[in-house]
Amino acid sequence: MAECLLNIDLGELPEEDERLYACAQVANIACGGHAGDEQSMRRALEACARHGTRAGAHPSFEDRANFGRQELQVAPEVLRAQVAAQCSRLVTLASEMGVPVRYAKPHGALYHASNRDPALARAVVEGVVEALGPGITFLGPGSGALREAARAAGLHYAREGFADRGTRPDGSLIPRGQPGAVLSDPAVARENALRLALGGTVDTLCVHGDSPGAVDMAREVRAVLDVLSLRAEPLGEGALRLVLPARLERRAVLATLKAEPGVVDVVVGEEYASVYFDPAAPPEDPRRVLGRLAVTPALLEEPPLVTVRVRYDGPDLEAVAERVGLSVDDVVLLHASREYTVCSVGFLPGFAYLGEVDGRIAVPRLGTPRPRVPGLAVGLAGRRTGIYPFASPGGWNLLGTAVDFTPFQPGSGALLRLGDRVLFERVD
């Protein structure tokens, strides 16, 4: 699945929220036609450099009074010079600052007028190439004069959709000023992002930086696109592994993927999900499934809270206390006064990795593992703690022993499962 990028129109407001640059993969920077001046362009380019955002030029009709949203009658040769001059202002500053400008997209009325008129489209593309060179990516409508002009000039072209704009039944944008034209609901923007990205007709989605609620919408759209662009690694013919973003709740990932037709088994860890299936009947691409999950999270019951009684008599308890500079009682208090979450299950059947441990008692695993750790030993390694379900080799620091704890339940398997909550209760 090809990556779909989030582009955001920026550099237009005097008090712009820099969080937009953290969301954007491409920043379309106003360069004087409809908004923007040297100060705002510098500020935008600096933000791009800080956040690793790719910079693009956002030329317009020369119409600051109407924010470039009113179509003007401009001769193609004049428009070409205006577009080149605007883009040149940006690229001159960008060159001084060491920020490459590799994208271009016309703004507002120029976007729509030039896409209808081949002469204007050629003028826009020629002006962009004059200022930025031929090695750029041009962002524009999925079809029309701009696409044809960019292709004729040998430019890479990215078809654009709008996550924060309402559309008519034929797919065209509702004109600004009409009801439903400009969206502000992050949930609707998410739905638009999923529909457009999965439709296969766009290469990039836009959120306007001056829209109400732009930051929240940008975050949600970027989250959907990040899920859809997950790296899938084949594990033989009947399995693959996905790198999971932090925002996806792991229990929901497990439940959603396991419910898919054709899926035989799913193993979810802190960073990855492995999906196993019949090669003769492969399931739907898991990235699409998880993309829908990012839009409509699975409704799961509240994870159970399991209380585990612990006798703090472990052989490494004093060494851990000495290493972190606390008393034994303080280590025990910090360990037992926190609610943990099962982040993953592995290493041994039923071994639950619990996190996060209080940073004040986080210590690395032992340099040399023990050949035998007794069953029900409570261990600590870094920011994770856990209970050995049965005797095995292991290198965790042993703090104590679980009392009256049964790691496996007849008929249902391991007691602790992904997403469960765990409390430790100290007993003598």
Side-chain angles (χ1 to χ4, degrees):
M1 182 182 296
E3 183 181 19
C4 184
L5 300 178
L6 172 59
N7 76 83
I8 303 182
D9 297 346
L10 292 164
E12 297 173 334
L13 300 176
E15 296 181 357
E16 192 168 62
D17 195 320
E18 188 166 325
R19 291 175 295 177
L20 290 166
Y21 290 86
C23 296
Q25 290 159 296
V26 178
N28 311 308
I29 301 173
C31 41
H34 67 288
D37 53 25
E38 180 175 339
Q39 182 179 4
S40 68
M41 284 187 278
R42 283 189 182 277
R43 187 167 59 244
L45 291 166
E46 289 169 353
C48 284
R50 280 193 294 274
H51 295 284
T53 310
R54 292 168 246 185
H58 200 32
S60 167
F61 281 125
E62 294 277 359
D63 184 19
R64 296 175 70 91
N66 296 297
F67 203 70
R69 288 177 177 155
Q70 180 174 307
E71 187 172 332
L72 304 180
Q73 299 302 312
V74 181
E77 61 272 18
V78 174
L79 180 61
R80 180 185 188 277
Q82 291 176 345
V83 168
Q86 290 177 45
C87 294
S88 294
R89 294 177 200 139
L90 179 68
V91 78
T92 298
L93 294 172
S95 297
E96 294 174 4
M97 300 167 66
V99 178
V101 180
R102 300 282 169 76
Y103 292 81
K105 184 181 86 169
H107 165 80
L110 180 59
Y111 185 97
H112 300 291
S114 58
N115 199 48
R116 294 193 309 270
D117 187 330
L120 294 183
R122 287 192 296 271
V124 170
V125 169
E126 290 170 1
V128 165
V129 171
E130 178 182 329
L132 305 181
I136 65 158
T137 296
F138 197 98
L139 312 184
S143 61
L146 279 173
R147 187 178 184 186
E148 296 306 315
R151 283 180 165 180
L155 302 183
H156 181 69
Y157 191 88
R159 302 164 298 168
E160 183 180 44
F162 295 89
D164 61 350
R165 292 290 307 276
T167 55
R168 294 165 166 161
D170 64 359
S172 62
L173 295 179
I174 298 173
R176 285 181 180 269
Q178 294 187 14
V182 179
L183 306 177
S184 59
D185 186 344
V188 178
R190 288 199 309 266
E191 292 284 357
N192 281 345
L194 184 68
R195 173 178 54 81
L196 291 166
L198 290 182
T201 59
V202 300
D203 308 299
T204 181
L205 291 177
C206 174
V207 169
H208 294 85
D210 63 340
S211 291
V215 172
D216 289 336
M217 288 191 293
R219 282 175 171 164
E220 298 300 332
V221 172
R222 178 64 186 272
V224 170
L225 297 183
D226 284 349
V227 171
L228 293 178
S229 65
L230 293 177
R231 188 174 75 253
E233 304 167 344
L235 301 174
E237 292 187 356
L240 57 83
R241 184 173 73 171
L242 294 170
V243 180
L244 296 177
R247 70 168 278 125
L248 285 183
E249 202 277 319
R250 290 337 191 221
R251 283 198 321 138
V253 169
L254 179 63
T256 301
L257 292 178
K258 288 189 76 169
E260 284 299 299
V263 171
V264 176
D265 196 12
V266 179
V267 177
V268 176
E270 295 186 57
E271 298 181 13
Y272 302 98
S274 296
V275 183
Y276 300 88
F277 53 88
D278 181 355
E284 182 181 6
D285 188 329
R287 290 170 293 189
R288 292 175 176 262
V289 176
L290 296 181
R292 289 193 289 270
L293 176 60
V295 172
T296 308
L299 297 177
L300 300 175
E301 295 180 359
E302 180 75 11
L305 176 62
V306 179
T307 299
V308 180
R309 300 170 71 232
V310 178
R311 185 172 59 248
Y312 285 91
D313 57 0
D316 301 317
L317 181 57
E318 290 188 5
V320 169
E322 183 177 353
R323 178 161 186 166
V324 300
L326 296 171
S327 69
V328 167
D329 283 341
D330 285 341
V331 171
V332 171
L333 178 63
L334 291 173
H335 185 263
S337 61
R338 200 176 186 93
E339 181 180 299
Y340 299 96
T341 300
V342 177
C343 303
S344 62
V345 180
F347 165 54
L348 298 171
F351 187 99
Y353 289 78
L354 309 176
E356 294 276 340
V357 168
D358 190 297
R360 288 170 288 181
I361 60 171
V363 294
R365 64 177 62 235
L366 301 176
T368 303
R370 289 183 171 87
R372 185 180 186 279
V373 173
L376 303 187
V378 176
L380 171 69
R383 297 298 294 271
R384 296 289 180 261
T385 186
I387 307 165
Y388 284 78
F390 48 81
S392 75
W396 288 36
N397 301 274
L398 304 183
L399 303 184
T401 306
V403 178
D404 301 325
F405 179 74
T406 304
F408 290 91
Q409 303 294 318
S412 61
L415 175 65
L416 298 179
R417 301 189 178 189
L418 190 68
D420 286 356
R421 299 172 297 142
V422 178
L423 283 174
F424 291 117
E425 177 185 333
R426 182 180 187 175
V427 297
D428 294 328

